[in-house]
Amino acid sequence: MPAGAETPDETAAATTWQRHPPGSIYDYIQVASFSLGPDGRIEQWSDRAAELLGIPAHAAIGKDPIEAFVPGELRDLGYRKIAEIMDGREWVGLVPFRAIEGSGAHGLAEVYVMPTRAEGGGHGALCIVVDVRALRSIETDLAASQAVFGQSPMGFLLFGTDLKILRANARFAAVFGGTAESHRGCSPSDYLSRVEAERLTVALRQVLETGSPVTELQLVGSVPGDPERRRWSVNLFRLHSAAGRPIGVAGLGTDVTRRRNAEREAASARRNLALLNAAGARIGNSLDLETTARELLDVAVPQFCDLASVDLYQGLLTGDEAPPGLADGSAELRRVAFASAVSDAPVVISACGVPEDGELRPIEVGAVHRYPFTSPCASALRTAQARVIPGQDSDDGPELGAVVQSTLAVPMVAHDTVVGLAQFSRTKGSEPFGERDTALAIELASRAAVCIDNARLYRREHERALILQRSLLPPGDPEAAGLDIACRYLPGNTATEVGGDWFDVIQLPGHRTALVVGDVMGRGLRAAVAMGELRTAVRTLALLDLEPAEVLSALDEIARGLGAPAGSHGGTSASRAASRNGPGDAASDLSEVYLATCVYAVYDPVTRRCTFANAGHLPPVLVEPGESALMLEVPTGMPLGVGGEPFEEIEVDLPDGGVLALYTDGLVESRDHPLDEGLQDFRTALTQPPLASAEGAPDPLEDLCDQVLDTLDTHHGEDDIALLMARVQGLPADSVGDWKLAPEPQSVARAREQARGQLIAWGMESLVDTTELLVSELVTNALRYGEGEIRLRLLLDRTLVCEVWDGGLVQPRRRRARDTDEGGRGLQLVGLLSAGWGSRRTPHGKTVWFELALPNGESASVDPVEALLSLY
């Protein structure tokens, strides 16, 4: 053995006799000792006794302990106990003592007396003394520790430095079975899955090594006899001895399964509320069925599900008035929307699949299909009840696609009518649908269904209003004498209600033409109806051949009558009453609907003169050849339906080749373009090249219309747009025959001669006889019933018009002559032989006219002789 090396015995001895570190149990108990000799006096007194009892050794050794330290009233009892001890008996008890005589210090010591044998055969005693205060403190601490550990409602574990359980409390044993002692020596892997046990072991080792506690460590597992998965929250902290030596890790575990479930329920409720709020804000913003379906899927994916689709009944989309679905749910549906957070392509769901040639294929967006009668989807449509279709790992139902865990088939019900089917699917790994999810899906589908049904109803009413509005506009391309006409009407987009814009081209006697553009304030079906009523009134008033200002005045009265409440007489009093009723009153609402603006112009192709009257409308624009566009200063009256103000009219000479433009405010005003800016852009668009072709001939007016619409912002969709353009051509001088006749009988023959000569010059020999006969009748009536000078005028354009003017104010009236009457058949003959006839007032009398169709070789004209004979 090498020098200096220790033997095994020496090593063992050193280990045995090494000093115990501070903080041992003896330090806490504070044990002292002394001994008694056979004579009952103190023989030995330890330093600890002197420290503990406060009596130095020199004051104790050799003394009678009873005489020296025990109070006088207890000495008799003390002597008896000493006698028993000296007889060889053990004794344990509490001994009151006093310190040095006269010090006044008192105490209470617990003494354990063990008899001893002296050298001479007598009895002595070894006395062990413990400070009662320290002993009671230790007992209290032990009791408290035991109470905390044993009576804690939480699982309490003490892991040793080897990470095995040193001690478990009763609560832990009650959860995992057995007794508290039976868990001693177990490790985390005995209670948790491999992954969870590794997480706990890592945390224990970290706490033991670093001393830093771990709080709220979430562990998932199960307990014996209960298949429900539990969740625990564990707090770990390191334990030390009084000397700071780590002795283990304490763990407190709380079952938070219910709290976790409550948190999940609360989170689910918050999520559902957020989804419902999002649905309320995002679904139904459009009145388009397909857009509303896509808005539903935008809300649902991926916040609620991973895949979703919407099918609507084909009859609903095609505007069928019948109920959209059959009672058995087998009607045709169209896939209108699909959304996925995992795949861009639809997924085949065999339970609701549509077999084609024996093979299941996914339903593409836009595809028309039917669900098999026995499928859950068809059942949902039949019963109007949501169906949960389980995934392929379940034995409770049919299988789905490979990635789909479960699907909710939810019928979309609006006003007790099923309009379609919404499907919400979750992929594997997602949480399966629960009762709350089903209720939420039903609510989402119901909201979307109501919006879709509203969109369907709106579309139906919108289409009806459009049909009504279009039916009230002039069909095709209007024609007028001396005018080249082009017009455009652009309705607002599908999200805009039908408006009240209209235009019209009305043929007046004498080849004159009335041009009308108007705009009823408001939108919707009532505005379209009001527009139709006003347009009809304008045509009726125009055929009376009234002056433009008179037409607008009469139209104003009609508009006030239409807007007045039932039982009133219209007029300003009704308007004021409606205003007093406030904006929420029905009468006020009707009055607002029937307010309108209108510009009315009458063009005479012979004089090239146009007479304008304006009722609150935008001014007409005139473009003369080679000049910039000019806004005509037509006096702007009050809108129709307001009343109380007369309308003014002006006459404007229109040069040949000039372009007159009438329009509504939708063309020049929008949210992004103010009115002044729009009017300037309109004038610029009218005058910008090319207004003439390379050869100098004007471009077709249709091209000019398109040029204006392309230049301006006509796609804002905020209002309807009406544009009426007319290029002035006028009647050539050789197409007009005009003669003045004296008020004498010879003028009848002279009129026939003038008419015959003019028709022969025009090459209209086939109309000579009829024209001579009718001219004779009109001139004769002018001589008989009229006054002043007579004027005869023939106008040749698309028809032949004959006008007879005189200064009389009495209008001719057609009546039925009796067989015995000698007269009264002239106007009957005019009506029989002509294509039309009538009379109108003039500033200086009246004009009676008739119109003949030009010969076209296809239809034979009426024989004057037969017409005369038919009157008798």
Side-chain angles (χ1 to χ4, degrees):
M1 179 179 297
E6 294 183 354
T7 65
D9 293 337
E10 292 175 345
T11 302
T15 303
T16 303
W17 289 101
Q18 70 180 5
R19 184 178 183 274
H20 197 281
S24 68
I25 189 63
Y26 304 104
D27 294 328
Y28 288 106
I29 297 177
Q30 296 183 359
V31 178
S33 66
F34 66 92
S35 63
L36 301 176
D39 57 359
R41 294 180 181 274
I42 298 174
E43 286 187 343
Q44 296 176 344
W45 190 263
S46 67
D47 293 338
R48 181 65 66 86
E51 178 184 349
L52 180 62
L53 301 177
I55 303 172
H58 67 83
I61 296 176
K63 298 291 183 67
D64 181 352
I66 301 301
E67 182 68 25
F69 309 119
V70 176
E73 66 273 13
L74 297 177
R75 289 177 181 174
D76 290 341
L77 179 59
Y79 282 125
R80 288 196 299 271
K81 293 299 180 181
I82 288 295
E84 293 176 359
I85 291 170
M86 299 311 292
D87 287 340
R89 295 183 182 180
E90 292 185 357
W91 180 81
V92 178
L94 296 176
V95 177
F97 67 92
R98 64 185 179 186
I100 301 174
E101 187 72 26
S103 67
H106 298 275
L108 187 66
E110 185 170 278
V111 181
Y112 176 35
V113 181
M114 296 175 290
T116 61
R117 292 280 183 179
E119 184 177 348
H123 289 281
L126 176 62
C127 301
I128 306 298
V129 182
V130 179
D131 187 352
V132 173
R133 292 171 298 176
L135 189 61
R136 294 295 178 265
S137 177
I138 292 174
E139 290 175 350
T140 301
D141 291 345
L142 288 174
S145 175
Q146 182 61 33
V148 171
F149 194 84
Q151 300 174 22
S152 173
M154 298 179 289
F156 205 148
L157 294 175
L158 177 59
F159 292 90
T161 55
D162 59 353
L163 305 185
K164 293 185 180 298
I165 296 177
L166 293 178
R167 190 175 179 186
N169 70 344
R171 176 59 181 168
F172 183 84
V175 173
F176 286 93
T179 63
E181 289 297 326
S182 65
H183 295 280
R184 186 184 300 273
C186 294
S187 64
S189 59
D190 296 322
Y191 307 98
L192 302 172
S193 64
R194 182 179 61 83
V195 175
E196 295 293 287
E198 289 179 356
R199 292 180 60 235
L200 179 57
T201 301
V202 170
L204 288 171
R205 185 174 293 111
Q206 175 185 343
V207 172
L208 189 61
E209 292 176 354
T210 65
S212 299
V214 173
T215 59
E216 299 294 332
L217 175 64
Q218 301 291 316
L219 298 176
V220 178
S222 58
V223 299
D226 188 355
E228 181 185 3
R229 292 181 64 80
R230 302 285 188 91
R231 181 179 291 271
W232 295 282
S233 176
V234 178
N235 296 311
L236 304 174
F237 57 93
R238 191 170 70 179
L239 298 179
H240 309 84
S241 65
R245 177 174 55 87
I247 60 176
V249 178
L252 284 173
T254 305
D255 191 336
V256 294
T257 305
R258 292 184 179 179
R259 186 178 72 185
R260 180 67 175 178
N261 291 340
E263 291 175 352
R264 290 171 56 190
E265 290 290 332
S268 176
R270 288 193 297 269
R271 182 199 65 184
N272 292 353
L273 181 60
L275 282 175
L276 290 177
N277 289 337
R282 299 174 62 181
I283 298 177
N285 293 325
S286 169
L287 290 173
D288 180 73
L289 279 71
E290 291 83 354
T291 302
T292 302
R294 289 192 295 270
E295 291 170 347
L296 168 62
L297 301 192
D298 290 341
V299 172
V301 179
Q303 292 83 0
F304 177 69
C305 61
D306 301 314
L307 302 96
S309 63
V310 174
D311 298 320
L312 297 180
Y313 279 116
Q314 180 71 355
L316 181 79
L317 298 170
T318 57
D320 190 359
E321 293 296 328
L326 301 179
D328 59 359
S330 62
E332 286 187 338
L333 298 107
R334 185 194 302 173
R335 176 66 53 86
V336 296
F338 171 79
S340 172
V342 297
S343 173
D344 294 334
V347 176
V348 177
I349 301 178
S350 58
C352 291
V354 183
E356 296 180 2
D357 302 329
E359 181 181 356
L360 287 174
R361 295 184 177 89
I363 304 172
E364 302 290 341
V365 174
V368 178
H369 63 93
R370 300 175 187 267
Y371 285 117
F373 180 82
T374 57
S375 67
C377 294
S379 175
L381 291 171
R382 284 195 304 273
T383 61
Q385 299 292 326
R387 291 286 305 272
V388 179
I389 308 174
Q392 64 180 10
D393 294 334
S394 173
D395 297 331
D396 299 332
E399 296 181 355
L400 304 182
V403 300
V404 176
Q405 180 195 74
S406 59
T407 294
L408 271 175
V410 184
M412 305 178 70
V413 183
H415 310 300
D416 298 327
T417 301
V418 178
V419 299
L421 183 73
Q423 296 184 63
F424 308 97
S425 300
R426 288 180 178 174
T427 57
K428 294 180 180 179
S430 301
E431 185 177 353
F433 291 111
E435 293 183 2
R436 288 181 179 269
D437 296 323
T438 303
L440 176 62
I442 293 174
E443 178 65 21
L444 291 176
S446 176
R447 291 193 180 194
V450 171
C451 294
I452 287 174
D453 193 55
N454 291 340
R456 176 184 67 87
L457 296 175
Y458 169 80
R459 185 177 65 180
R460 184 183 66 184
E461 297 302 321
H462 188 264
E463 290 176 350
R464 290 177 177 177
L466 283 178
I467 293 173
L468 172 63
Q469 188 179 40
R470 296 291 179 83
S471 66
L472 297 175
L473 295 175
D477 296 328
E479 296 181 354
L483 292 176
D484 182 14
I485 302 292
C487 52
R488 293 289 186 275
Y489 175 77
L490 301 178
N493 58 31
T494 56
T496 304
E497 295 184 11
V498 174
D501 293 10
W502 92 90
F503 65 90
D504 209 346
V505 178
I506 306 171
Q507 302 296 325
L508 299 179
H511 286 313
R512 294 172 302 127
T513 303
L515 304 176
V516 188
V517 170
D519 184 3
V520 176
M521 298 182 184
R523 299 185 184 280
L525 187 59
R526 287 190 298 174
V529 171
M531 177 268 286
E533 293 175 327
L534 293 178
R535 177 179 179 269
T536 301
V538 169
R539 295 188 69 88
T540 302
L541 295 171
L543 293 178
L544 294 177
D545 214 351
L546 302 177
E547 296 298 324
E550 294 177 331
V551 170
L552 293 186
S553 296
L555 195 63
D556 179 57
E557 292 292 333
I558 294 173
R560 282 188 288 163
L562 293 175
S568 69
H569 300 287
T572 56
S573 60
S575 300
R576 288 193 296 268
S579 300
R580 289 194 299 269
N581 289 334
D585 188 79
S588 176
D589 184 47
L590 283 175
S591 297
E592 181 180 359
V593 168
Y594 282 98
L595 289 176
T597 63
C598 179
V599 60
Y600 184 88
V602 175
Y603 172 69
D604 188 338
V606 178
T607 63
R608 273 77 166 175
R609 180 168 295 174
C610 190
T611 305
F612 295 93
N614 191 352
H617 202 79
L618 295 174
V621 176
L622 176 63
V623 184
E624 297 186 12
E627 301 291 337
S628 299
L630 175 66
M631 297 180 64
L632 300 180
E633 295 182 359
V634 179
T636 303
M638 298 298 291
L640 301 176
V642 175
E645 294 292 335
F647 296 97
E648 301 180 36
E649 60 184 39
I650 64 168
E651 291 186 351
V652 178
D653 292 327
L654 302 182
D656 285 346
V659 176
L660 179 66
L662 306 178
Y663 52 96
T664 58
D665 57 358
L667 179 67
V668 295
E669 185 178 24
S670 67
R671 188 178 293 109
D672 300 326
H673 293 82
L675 179 59
D676 292 342
E677 180 181 335
L679 288 173
Q680 181 60 41
D681 293 343
F682 179 44
R683 295 168 57 190
T684 303
L686 284 172
T687 56
Q688 69 182 1
L691 275 181
S693 63
E695 293 79 9
D699 279 350
L701 203 57
E702 295 289 339
D703 295 344
L704 183 57
C705 273
D706 294 335
Q707 173 180 291
V708 170
L709 296 179
D710 292 340
T711 303
L712 300 180
D713 178 20
T714 58
H715 302 289
H716 50 75
E718 299 173 12
D719 197 1
D720 294 354
I721 295 174
L723 174 62
L724 176 61
M725 301 183 69
R727 175 172 281 132
V728 178
Q729 297 174 345
L731 284 181
D734 56 2
S735 296
V736 179
D738 196 350
W739 305 274
K740 293 182 179 180
L741 303 174
E744 57 186 13
Q746 293 81 0
S747 296
V748 176
R750 191 176 302 114
R752 287 199 301 267
E753 292 176 1
Q754 297 290 353
R756 172 184 290 272
Q758 186 64 66
L759 290 178
I760 294 174
W762 286 339
M764 299 291 172
E765 289 82 358
S766 60
L767 298 179
V768 169
D769 294 340
T770 303
T771 304
E772 282 188 329
L773 178 60
L774 298 184
V775 165
S776 297
E777 290 293 335
L778 295 187
V779 173
T780 300
N781 287 340
L783 290 173
R784 181 177 300 177
Y785 304 107
E787 299 177 2
E789 187 180 52
I790 301 173
R791 180 182 176 188
L792 172 65
R793 189 167 74 171
L794 295 179
L795 307 176
L796 178 64
D797 192 70
R798 289 174 289 109
T799 60
L800 175 66
V801 174
C802 176
E803 298 176 331
V804 176
W805 308 48
D806 69 79
L809 298 177
V810 179
Q811 297 291 324
R813 182 174 62 87
R814 182 177 177 179
R815 63 183 181 87
R816 182 175 296 276
R818 292 173 296 184
D819 294 342
T820 57
D821 291 342
E822 295 182 359
R825 298 180 177 84
L827 293 181
Q828 293 186 41
L829 182 63
V830 172
L832 189 62
L833 294 177
S834 66
W837 77 277
S839 67
R840 68 177 185 274
R841 293 179 301 167
T842 64
H844 306 289
K846 68 176 181 296
T847 300
V848 183
W849 58 271
F850 66 85
E851 184 176 5
L852 297 176
L854 300 183
N856 53 14
E858 297 179 0
S859 58
S861 59
V862 179
D863 187 0
V865 178
E866 294 182 0
L868 283 172
L869 295 177
S870 66
L871 298 178
Y872 297 93

